[in-house]
Amino acid sequence: MQHDKVLILDFGSQYTQLIARRVRELNVYSEIHPFNKIPDDIESYKAVILSGSPFSVRGEEALHPDISKIRGKKPLLAVCYGAQYLAHFSGGNVSPSNTREYGRANLSFIKENEPFFNDISEGSQVWMSHSDTIKELPTGGILLASTHDVSNAAYRIKNEMTYAIQFHPEVYHTTDGKQLLKNFLIDIAKINPDWTPDSFVEETVDWLKKKLKNDKVVLGLSGGVDSTVAAVLLNKAIGKNLYCVFVNNGLLRKNEFENVLKQYEGMGLNVKGVDASARFLEALKGLSDPELKRKAIGNAFIEVFDDEAHHIEDVKWLAQGTIYPDVIESVSATGGPSATIKSHHNVGGLPDFMKLKVVEPMNTLFKDEVRRVGASLGIDPELLGRHPFPGPGLAIRILGDLTAEKVRILQEVDAIFINGLRDWDLYDKVWQAGAMLLPVNSVGVMGDERTYEKCVVLRAVESTDGMTADWVNLPYKFLQKVSNDIINKVKGVNRVVYDISSKPPATIEWE
């Protein structure tokens, strides 16, 4: 089935991926490409969106897209930098604003009878994030909206389906952002919103059948949502030719190896458990740099799967549950100017000695989309509701070097925290939770004796896709109970703190 699709040109904004996600919430398929690598088949896209950027259109480093095949020929929405770019290079005027225009604002004026603002009223909250401002509209520009501080907050170009906004409709803080995108994509661009979880399953299974044919595939299961959904998709496509391997890397949560193997019983999957904990801990010995730890874990995973693959006659493929945020954070979004945040153990291909080809059926999906696809496949809601857990496991929640004793301490702490969330009916109100073990000791008093033991950090965040996240305001009484339980029951810990930083500027994990 051929879906209408939207092209998003990436100028390096931290919000570019959120644009794609918001578009997909409307059941419209979107793709992100670098601003300077516009696809040759531009005719196949029904609309184009220009993202924001950390650069200034007035600077020497300004990013210059060639939109000659787009502007005036396709519906075009220019966001922030895109809006400034159209103004600055098309007869308008962009100047530095007196103050950085960042944060919440409200629309104080909306032009009447404009389909772009259907069902959006004056007073609607928007989110600004720019240091330049549009002083004069471009040639043919028609003002559509203003805020108290930004006169030219939205405009369109006469006789074109070109729209531009100075705010970000993709972020949570723009309350009518989804409505505005709907107005542009569905009402103005006339896109058919038919890209659904059911259609993704049908098309992906068909694609896997054609790609893999009768080849054998080995898949690394983690017990989490991503690899489980990938396994069920592949099983639906190739059945008995799928060989699932669940590796105990020694960095899992308490009792997780046994619990996960039991979880997969009855799902019709061919699953083998491999205990390689000693191998991973040896590979991590003496390493404290987070990137080196991630790479060591990635290498160890590859070695384990290479060993297991040799036990499967004529296996051709390694399947992975890689999802879009993994790819985004490991490399620049799609080759554009975005910054690398951190590498992921399951991104970046395989070494030459490993003769398997890689198949990643979900590397274009966000986490919430993976869950919706899982529901479409009939996977148990309790499994789909599991919190994300990092591929490198507790290795990146133990800051500094690793030892078996540190792993034991953090496993005990994590179990008390996670079980406490379940007991207090808080688990499903949190997107992700975990504990970090700090590489510092602090002075404490237990009984009449002085202690000098470890400090642990509890972290709980709310999010929809992991790209942005806010800390969760857990009840004080819950935190008091968990802290007391940890200090009393986990030998080696005498201090518990709670992380109240959001992403950005922090990340969800500490390494």
Side-chain angles (χ1 to χ4, degrees), residues 246-249 252-262 272-276:
F246 176 49
V247 176
N248 180 8
N249 60 9
L252 302 173
R253 287 171 160 162
K254 186 177 179 180
N255 301 324
E256 189 163 20
F257 185 55
E258 298 79 9
N259 292 341
V260 167
L261 287 175
K262 186 175 181 180
K272 177 183 179 181
V274 178
D275 188 354

Side-chain angles (χ1 to χ4, degrees), residues 222 246 248-261 263 386 389 393-395 397-398 404 406-420 422 433-435 485-486 489-491:
S222 69
F246 176 49
N248 180 8
N249 60 9
L251 304 163
L252 302 173
R253 287 171 160 162
K254 186 177 179 180
N255 301 324
E256 189 163 20
F257 185 55
E258 298 79 9
N259 292 341
V260 167
L261 287 175
Q263 168 186 287
R386 285 193 63 180
F389 187 65
L394 299 180
R397 293 182 177 179
I398 298 172
K406 289 180 180 178
V407 173
R408 179 201 67 79
I409 289 174
L410 193 55
Q411 284 178 331
E412 297 290 340
V413 170
D414 179 86
I416 291 172
F417 184 32
I418 298 301
N419 289 337
R422 293 188 189 279
D485 285 349
I486 289 171
K489 296 177 181 179
V490 183
K491 185 178 179 181

